[in-house]
Amino acid sequence: KPITVIGVPLDLGAGRRGVDMGPSAIRYANLHEKLTKMGFDVEDIGNLSVPTLETYKVIDPNLKYLDEIVAVNEKLAETVSDTVEKGRFPLVLGGDHSIAIGTIAGVAKHHRKLGVIWFDAHGDLNTHETTPSGNIHGMSLAASLGYGHEALVHCGGYAPKVSPENVVIIGARELDPGERKLIKELGIRVFTMHDIDRIGMARVMEEALKVVTDGTDGVHLSLDLDGLDPKDCPGVGTPVVGGITYRESHLAMEMLAEANVLTSAEFVEVNPILDNGNKTAKVAVALVGSAFGEIVL
Ligand code: ARG
Ligand code: MN
Ligand code: MN
Ligand code: MN
């Protein structure tokens, strides 16, 4: 399937500056070349225009830069929806994880029973009522499930985008009290680092694939690079020790490619300012390769 790359240099949803350079860092790590060499028809439509942090003020400390983030996500939802309509695969480059609200709003319009793989150290299941930071990148999965501020929840003009039985979180190791509560209430499947240690990534992915394919009509991969261990991916704004290894993450992507179920993907939270030789963006591009079926032999 032909691929459309969409950059979203948004950092207003994160507590630290620098993820606005994520799309650029990922392109610099030769994303286009990799996909082209693999035989894909790739078009890169560039970056969405995104407001600069210094231009705006925080109005509600529990929903920092809400209006600006909503505007970017509405535009992203439209762009992603147009991409799907053209029969192309949307590959979105972040940017902070708040952009998942727009990406998912764009794809779920066409895949009303969307499965979502949330690969992350975090749950991003806070609302303005439970957030410890006010950063909207910690609220994007909740919003996609229909929880949180109306403007986030109704991105794209409808809600909810996904239902809890079709969502799986992989790599979690830092969940806030409000997030734990929502996970229990909604019965969301979460494979924590403990589960990965115990049963291994291969079995985790077998189970995860069941969750996102059973009764669904599409699968979205939302991959936050902080899901990986900071040793492999130091260039993220909210690193958490004890993460998924380089190989475990590749195995996960390879199993996704084998299952051949992905209909959209996003790679977020790459922060080249905090990185070491663009290591994290290079890992992101390698993971894209595996997710799209690159194999050694
Ligand atoms: N749970 C914390 C918060 O709500 C951290 C969220 C980190 N999210 C991310 N996409 N990196 O602020
Ligand atoms: Mn995260
Ligand atoms: Mn509503
Ligand atoms: Mn995240």
Side-chain angles (χ1 to χ4, degrees), residues 27-203:
R27 290 192 181 98
Y28 188 79
N30 296 317
L31 174 71
H32 200 99
E33 199 191 340
K34 156 139 299 183
L35 290 170
T36 306
K37 274 193 180 150
M38 286 171 67
F40 285 100
D41 160 4
V42 194
E43 103 181 313
D44 189 329
I45 61 168
N47 288 345
L48 297 192
S49 80
V50 161
T52 303
L53 186 130
E54 282 74 10
T55 320
Y56 296 90
K57 279 198 284 286
V58 168
I59 298 162
D60 181 347
N62 286 323
L63 285 160
K64 295 178 187 163
Y65 309 105
L66 175 65
D67 294 349
E68 293 76 24
I69 289 170
V70 167
V72 171
N73 276 299
E74 292 291 354
K75 180 77 191 131
L76 176 58
E78 240 178 80
T79 309
V80 167
S81 172
D82 291 348
T83 301
V84 176
E85 257 158 41
K86 286 183 191 137
R88 304 187 68 95
F89 184 108
L91 174 56
V92 179
L93 312 179
D96 71 67
H97 215 165
S98 71
I99 66 168
I101 295 171
T103 305
I104 292 173
V107 286
K109 208 166 249 176
H110 304 276
H111 301 276
R112 289 306 289 125
K113 294 174 115 347
L114 186 69
V116 173
I117 299 183
W118 199 270
F119 188 101
D120 203 327
H122 309 95
D124 297 341
L125 284 166
N126 277 303
T127 68
H128 52 292
E129 280 152 348
T130 65
T131 176
S133 62
N135 294 328
I136 293 178
H137 74 162
M139 310 180 193
S140 38
L141 183 52
S144 303
L145 286 160
Y147 295 83
H149 191 280
E150 278 292 296
L152 300 174
V153 166
H154 285 271
C155 179
Y158 69 107
K161 305 327 186 270
V162 288
S163 60
E165 67 268 24
N166 300 324
V167 172
V168 64
I169 299 174
I170 300 174
R173 54 194 182 277
E174 193 176 86
L175 296 169
D176 301 318
E179 299 187 294
R180 291 201 196 105
K181 199 168 158 254
L182 197 58
I183 286 167
K184 283 189 193 129
E185 262 172 44
L186 302 181
I188 299 170
R189 286 295 298 273
V190 181
F191 293 98
T192 65
M193 288 314 299
H194 173 87
D195 299 311
I196 297 170
D197 290 343
R198 254 201 138 123
I199 66 173
M201 185 56 98
R203 260 192 63 202

Side-chain angles (χ1 to χ4, degrees), residues 223-238:
L223 191 144
D224 183 332
L225 272 296
D226 72 29
L228 279 94
D229 194 273
K231 285 200 278 293
D232 295 310
C233 290
V236 296
T238 47

